């Protein structure tokens, strides 16, 4: 569950023109690049950064939803939420493995996350304050993620594309799960509907921010598009998301918290689309840079799990060594 | 009500599974290794599946139109009938794995015996749960072995977990009057008869883990009478909060 | 550098290593603060009898038994298979993509290995 214009990737690369051209030819021919293929250093670096950010987003993303597992209001919802948060963990795992094919270890990436050097989707730095937030996350956040993730299934880097195919398949229930929660709340008591509206109010703008800065302000987008790591621009995907989501909000009987939202028949090459109001990019950068409500708590929770689990990992390794030694002695 | 004893016995079992699922769910996102986040959640999902089957069947036996959620979310501490072991806080990974092993090592032979139940629904529930418990024994057992015979620190932690949890083992083999009656009626297994099977599951694992099961001259017993420790109330506060604060709402 | 698509030469020892070469690329120059790393395993699953095991992904685990459990818990949650193999990633030796030309191209002109190379009159029937 991730979607964000890549933040802070350095796609600079120092190879010869000849090398870069030959590489670009492979990309243009829709050839997949596999881990041991020669590739520009910038391509490798961008991928490690992007897959890492994606993986971290899945892992940190377990926390806001995990926050409601013990308070899920029915056994059915509890089982679905457990399965969904588990999926996010699995997706983080697949993605770490995809990045590991490039020679960076999961431990190194984990260390980057814990030290604050690696970023993750800023949406997870917002708190989940009510049960409706679980609905809103499934509906909006997973909805936004799907927009981004489906094109990633065709990413030029083989292991990433393969991980994304598996992830997209598994995630197909996530958005429906969220929307069903919203639907149930909206058809429920006035308090429940109010809860749903409040969740939409709080998650709408952060969901739009998930697609990253506007194209004109997105420094590394162009190179990523050329290398087919990315297939659509931030603004294209955001537009697609808004056009798909506004009617869904109407169906729920909820109002999108944007007074400037209006239908414009000229958009999308005359097919029409929704124009939206100004996104608060100051808020976006504030949260990305660490000053969202939950940034510190999220990293602290991940660090705690990792540090308090160190003795478990060490014990497993020590036991494996003992077994190896015992086997060797028996031979 | 068709069979009050069976209803009560089913509630006991359902509460065991629901509360233990709740505890495992607390780990989700906080496990020592990502792979264990998935493993612990898988076990939690097995448990909630069985809990739902049992609550649903209990509601059916009761015949008063209550749902699985009414039973899980609208009874209070004194009405909960789970074993004390399953409500114990997770502690560290050693505690969680040992508790899981203790529980699964009992439920596996329990469901095995329940395959002979006179009740078809219970045979169905048992058939599914039996396989799940087999995996829980294996997975938790592998960890108990590794932690018991890993590093000095892990061995100490495993030992501490053993000291903390062994006093709850005896309650596994106790039967409430309801469970006793259900056993006599050939519906559910006799819990007291499963001690040998439990030990057969546990003993080889503990041996490899270099652990011993201490004697428990004064075991902790009371869950089946609704006499719990202080932790259960807090579990229910969290678990039931939405159902309680929005009476009658649908989720 | 060589022509026809040969992009960059790397010494044999490095190129012939496992497809994942830990430490090949570091995201930071400092030594990692992490302690010993839990090994990586490649996971292969057979969807059902009659099919081959297929690579599905990887897990981290301290030993083979935990790796099998992890593979089960991670990769078979939706009934994806009935048999699992796990192989230490470090145990895999891979062919070198830089040598792909001499490894794979020489077969391209040996068309007599394919049935369509041979002319048989249609009257003979299916062969």
């Amino acid at each position: 569950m991730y979607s964000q214009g890549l933040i802070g990737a350095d796609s600079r690369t120092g190879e010869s023109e000849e090398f870069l051209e030959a590489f670009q030819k492979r990309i243009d021919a829709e050839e997949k690049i596999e881990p041991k293929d020669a590739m520009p250093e910038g391509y490798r670096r961008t991928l490690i950064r992007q897959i890492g950010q994606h993986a971290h987003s899945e892992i940190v993303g377990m926390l806001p939803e995990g926050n409601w597992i013990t308070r899920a209001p029915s056994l059915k919802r509890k089982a679905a939420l457990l399965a969904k948060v588990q999926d996010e963990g699995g997706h983080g795992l697949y993605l770490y493995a995809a990045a590991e094919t490039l020679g960076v270890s999961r431990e190194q990436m984990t260390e980057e996350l814990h030290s604050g050097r690696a970023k993750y989707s800023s949406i997870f730095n917002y708190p989940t304050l009510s049960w409706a937030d679980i609905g809103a996350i499934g509906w909006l956040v997973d909805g936004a993620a799907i927009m981004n993730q489906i094109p990633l299934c065709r990413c030029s880097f083989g292991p990433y594309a393969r991980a994304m195919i598996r992830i997209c398949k598994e995630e197909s229930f996530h958005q429906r799960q969220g929307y069903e929660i919203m639907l149930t709340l909206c058809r429920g008591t006035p308090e429940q509907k109010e809860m749903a509206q409040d969740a939409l109010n709080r998650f709408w703008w952060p969901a739009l921010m998930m697609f990253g800065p506007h194209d004109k302000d997105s420094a590394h987008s162009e190179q990523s598009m050329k290398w087919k790591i990315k297939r659509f621009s931030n603004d294209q995907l955001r537009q697609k998301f808004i056009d798909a989501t506004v009617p869904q909000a109407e169906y729920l009987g909820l109002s999108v918290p944007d007074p400037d939202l209006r239908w414009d028949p000229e958009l999308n090459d005359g097919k029409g689309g929704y124009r939206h109001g100004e996104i608060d990019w100051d808020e976006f950068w504030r949260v990305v840079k660490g000053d969202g409500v939950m940034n510190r708590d999220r990293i602290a929770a991940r660090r705690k799990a990792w540090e308090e689990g160190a003795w478990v990992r060490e014990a497993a390794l020590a036991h494996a060594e003992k077994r190896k030694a015992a086997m060797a002695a028996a031979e | 009500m068709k069979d009050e004893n069976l209803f009560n016995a089913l509630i006991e079992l359902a509460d065991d599974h629901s509360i233990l699922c709740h505890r495992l769910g607390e780990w989700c996102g906080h496990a020592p290794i990502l792979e264990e986040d998935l493993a612990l959640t898988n076990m939690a999902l097995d448990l909630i599946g069985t809990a739902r089957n049992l609550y649903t069947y209990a509601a059916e036996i009761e015949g008063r139109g209550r749902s699985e959620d009414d039973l899980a979310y609208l009874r209070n501490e004194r009405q909960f009938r789970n074993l004390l072991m399953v409500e114990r806080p997770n502690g560290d990974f050693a505690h969680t794995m040992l508790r899981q092993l203790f529980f699964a090592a009992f439920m596996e032979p329990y469901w095995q015996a329940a395959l002979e139940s006179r009740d078809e629904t219970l045979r169905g529930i048992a058939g599914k749960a039996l396989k799940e418990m087999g995996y829980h024994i294996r997975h938790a057992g592998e960890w108990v072995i590794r932690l018991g015979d890993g590093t000095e620190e892990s061995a100490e932690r495993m030992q501490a977990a053993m000291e903390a949890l062994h006093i709850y083992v005896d309650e596994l083999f106790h039967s409430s009057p309801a469970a006793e009656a259900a056993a006599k009626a050939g519906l559910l297994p006799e819990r007291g008869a499963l001690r040998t099977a439990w030990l057969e599951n546990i003993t080889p694992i503990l041996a490899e883990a270099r652990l011993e099961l201490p004697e428990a001259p004064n075991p902790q017993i009371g869950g089946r009478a609704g006499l719990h420790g202080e932790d259960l109330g807090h579990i229910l506060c969290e678990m039931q909060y939405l159902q309680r604060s929005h009476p009658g709402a649908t989720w | 550098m060589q022509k026809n698509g040969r992009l960059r030469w790397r010494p044999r020892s490095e190129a012939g290593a496992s497809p994942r070469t830990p430490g090949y690329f570091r995201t930071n120059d400092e030594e990692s603060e992490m302690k010993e790393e839990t090994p990586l395993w490649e996971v292969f699953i057979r969807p059902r009898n009659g099919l081959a095991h297929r690579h599905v992904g990887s897990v981290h685990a301290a030993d083979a038994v935990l790796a099998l459990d992890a593979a089960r818990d991670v990769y078979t949650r939706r009934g994806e298979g009935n048999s699992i193999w796990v192989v230490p990633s470090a145990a895999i030796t891979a062919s070198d993509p830089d040598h792909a030309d001499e490894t794979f191209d020489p077969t391209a002109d040996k068309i007599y290995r394919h049935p369509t190379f041979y002319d048989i009159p249609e009257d003979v029937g299916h062969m």
Side-chain angles (χ1 to χ4, degrees):
Chain A
M1 155 175 62
Y2 161 84
S3 167
Q4 182 141 298
L6 183 61
I7 297 165
D10 177 5
S11 57
R12 273 174 311 167
T13 206
E15 292 80 4
S16 69
E17 276 305 309
E18 186 197 3
F19 175 87
L20 290 173
E21 251 170 56
F23 183 75
Q24 192 61 48
K25 239 183 226 156
R26 295 188 62 190
I27 298 282
D28 292 342
E30 296 288 334
E31 247 186 76
K32 292 283 183 224
I33 307 302
E34 293 296 339
K36 275 170 56 69
D37 291 357
M39 61 183 84
E41 218 35 61
Y43 179 84
R44 179 188 298 270
R45 232 179 4 244
T46 303
L47 274 169
I48 288 179
R49 181 63 63 105
Q50 173 162 341
I51 302 172
Q53 282 184 14
H54 195 160
H56 297 324
S57 299
E58 302 282 354
I59 300 306
V60 176
M62 296 172 81
L63 299 171
E65 288 181 287
N67 182 39
W68 280 87
I69 287 175
T70 56
R71 288 177 288 173
S74 72
L75 294 169
K76 174 186 143 186
R77 295 288 180 214
K78 191 171 183 167
L81 185 58
L82 275 165
K84 177 172 190 283
V85 180
Q86 183 193 46
D87 270 353
E88 313 297 0
H91 300 166
L93 197 154
Y94 308 156
L95 289 161
Y96 281 132
E100 282 174 284
T101 65
L102 291 165
V104 57
S105 72
R106 190 199 289 177
E107 280 85 348
Q108 286 171 320
M109 287 183 276
T110 302
E111 156 64 18
E112 288 236 310
L113 173 68
H114 294 177
S115 69
R117 286 197 302 277
K119 302 288 177 218
Y120 54 89
S121 201
S122 54
I123 192 90
F124 303 120
N125 291 317
Y126 292 86
T128 47
L129 301 178
S130 81
W131 172 249
D133 291 11
I134 300 308
I137 287 181
W139 172 37
L140 300 173
V141 177
D142 286 272
I146 289 165
M147 295 285 168
N148 189 50
Q149 292 184 155
I150 287 176
L152 280 175
C153 295
R154 295 190 295 128
C155 164
S156 62
F157 185 57
Y160 194 18
R162 289 193 287 276
M164 288 317 304
I165 289 170
R166 194 178 182 95
I167 289 170
C168 286
K169 226 189 263 172
E170 296 189 351
E171 283 210 344
S172 53
F173 91 85
H174 292 187
Q175 195 188 13
R176 293 171 67 96
Q177 177 257 175
Y179 195 71
E180 195 196 82
I181 290 174
M182 294 302 271
L183 201 56
T184 309
L185 293 174
C186 290
R187 289 176 177 170
T189 66
E191 290 82 12
Q192 285 178 304
K193 185 154 187 188
E194 198 182 307
M195 202 188 273
Q197 180 65 57
D198 175 59
L200 174 58
N201 292 349
R202 283 180 290 110
F203 277 94
W204 174 256
W205 291 105
L208 296 193
M209 292 175 201
M210 284 175 70
F211 295 95
H214 286 307
D215 296 346
K216 60 179 168 51
D217 307 315
S218 183
H220 304 286
S221 254
E222 208 177 315
Q223 183 62 66
S224 280
M225 300 266 284
K226 206 173 143 211
W227 278 335
K228 300 194 178 171
I229 293 173
K230 228 174 129 155
R231 294 269 177 172
F232 295 97
S233 78
N234 297 353
D235 285 332
Q236 281 173 320
L237 290 170
R238 183 164 24 237
Q239 188 63 48
K240 231 174 128 183
F241 171 73
I242 294 172
D243 293 342
T245 310
V246 171
Q248 293 165 357
E250 281 167 5
Y251 185 83
L252 293 173
L254 297 177
S255 44
V256 174
D258 178 356
D260 298 322
L261 189 82
R262 64 185 171 81
W263 179 258
D264 179 347
E266 302 296 310
L267 276 184
N268 298 325
D269 302 323
K271 277 183 271 176
Y274 288 94
R275 282 202 184 279
H276 61 85
E278 196 59 42
I279 294 173
D280 183 354
W281 293 110
D282 289 342
E283 175 183 323
F284 173 75
W285 287 112
R286 201 166 56 240
V287 176
V288 166
K289 289 183 177 150
D291 289 322
V293 181
M294 297 304 292
N295 293 59
R296 289 168 184 82
D297 292 0
R298 297 289 184 239
I299 294 300
R302 288 310 312 159
R303 284 193 81 111
K304 183 166 182 281
W306 183 257
E307 283 162 14
E308 289 182 0
W311 68 272
V312 175
R313 299 189 298 275
E314 284 159 20
L317 289 169
H319 183 83
E321 282 306 314
K322 282 187 193 176
R323 279 209 181 172
K324 259 189 236 163
M327 294 246 292
E331 272 168 19
Chain B
M1 187 171 324
K2 274 197 266 177
D3 181 341
E4 194 167 352
N5 284 324
L6 180 58
F7 171 79
N8 285 324
L10 290 171
I11 288 292
E12 294 171 1
L13 286 171
D15 288 348
D16 288 348
H17 287 74
S18 175
I19 298 297
L20 188 55
C21 161
H22 190 93
R23 281 299 191 211
L24 292 184
E26 291 173 354
W27 272 105
C28 193
H30 308 278
I33 179 166
L34 188 46
E35 280 74 2
E36 273 320 296
D37 275 306
L38 278 91
L40 288 160
T41 318
N42 271 345
M43 295 196 286
L45 286 167
D46 289 342
L47 294 170
I48 203 170
T50 302
R52 292 183 69 183
N53 289 338
L54 291 165
Y55 281 132
T56 302
Y57 191 41
E60 191 188 316
I61 296 286
E62 187 189 41
R64 281 175 39 204
R66 285 206 279 180
S67 69
E68 56 171 17
D69 289 331
D70 292 335
L71 293 173
Y73 290 87
L74 299 175
R75 288 179 303 127
N76 62 30
E77 295 92 313
R78 295 282 284 111
Q79 293 164 323
F80 260 71
R81 291 287 183 265
N82 59 276
L83 297 163
L84 298 178
M85 180 192 293
V86 299
E87 73 191 46
R88 295 304 299 159
N90 283 333
D92 61 12
F93 193 65
H95 275 74
T96 297
M97 282 299 152
L98 187 63
R99 183 183 59 195
Q100 200 63 28
L101 175 65
F102 281 169
F103 180 77
F106 177 85
M107 289 314 299
E108 192 250 359
Y110 184 88
W111 293 126
Q112 181 69 52
L115 292 176
E116 310 292 323
S117 168
R118 287 201 299 111
D119 183 306
E120 193 190 343
T121 307
L122 287 172
R123 289 199 301 273
I125 295 173
K128 176 182 161 292
L130 173 63
K131 294 179 206 162
E132 293 168 350
M133 289 303 114
Y135 185 74
H136 293 207
I137 294 174
R138 200 173 100 200
H139 188 71
E142 294 292 357
W143 273 110
V144 167
I145 290 168
R146 278 155 186 76
L147 300 179
D149 185 22
T151 61
E152 207 174 303
E153 180 183 2
S154 73
E156 275 169 24
R157 285 174 179 271
M158 204 67 238
Q159 192 55 49
M162 179 61 88
E163 274 154 33
L165 290 169
H166 80 280
I167 53 173
Y168 300 100
V169 166
D170 233 44
E171 194 182 18
L172 287 167
F173 309 105
H174 277 247
S175 287
S176 67
E180 196 67 50
K184 285 224 167 69
L187 297 168
L188 287 168
E190 171 64 57
R191 300 183 73 95
L194 297 172
R195 200 180 279 269
T196 315
W198 183 82
L199 276 170
E200 276 169 13
N201 275 333
I202 295 281
T203 308
I205 294 170
L206 294 192
E208 268 202 76
R210 299 167 188 277
L211 286 166
E212 270 176 45
L213 183 68
E215 293 286 323
N218 298 304
Q220 293 294 319
I221 288 162
R224 300 304 192 208
L227 296 168
H228 297 276
E230 289 178 353
D231 293 299
L232 182 70
H234 294 281
I235 292 179
L236 297 185
C237 276
E238 273 190 71
M239 185 160 112
Q240 300 181 339
Y241 128 79
L242 278 169
Q243 288 269 355
R244 298 283 193 182
S245 51
H246 299 264
T250 304
W251 299 95
Chain C
M1 275 298 211
Q2 204 182 305
K3 53 185 168 140
N4 58 19
R6 176 80 162 271
L7 295 174
R8 188 176 53 174
W9 184 85
R10 273 181 280 135
R12 185 83 229 171
S13 59
E14 187 185 302
S18 117
R20 300 158 187 272
T21 316
Y24 174 76
F25 181 85
R26 289 199 175 268
T27 48
N28 53 324
D29 294 333
E30 324 134 40
E31 259 315 294
S32 168
E33 295 161 34
M34 302 273 167
K35 293 199 178 166
E36 198 187 345
E37 296 182 354
T38 303
L40 191 63
W41 303 72
E42 300 304 322
V43 179
F44 300 81
I45 289 183
R46 185 177 64 208
R48 57 175 191 272
N49 284 15
L51 296 177
H53 285 75
R54 192 168 153 253
H55 184 244
V56 294
S58 334
V59 291
H60 283 263
D63 59 55
V65 174
L66 289 181
L68 268 179
D69 273 10
R72 178 262 190 197
D73 281 319
V74 174
Y75 290 102
T76 68
R77 286 175 293 139
R78 288 172 167 84
E80 288 92 335
N82 67 5
S83 169
I84 305 174
W85 290 348
V86 290
V87 180
S89 305
I92 294 177
T93 308
S95 67
D96 180 355
D98 285 356
H99 297 176
D101 292 357
E102 66 252 32
T103 312
F104 302 111
D105 287 359
T107 68
D109 64 350
K110 300 186 175 60
I111 49 177
Y112 40 78
R113 284 192 173 123
H114 300 281
T116 47
F117 178 75
Y118 304 93
D119 284 330
I120 304 286
E122 271 186 36
D123 309 353
V124 180
H126 180 73
M127 182 179 280

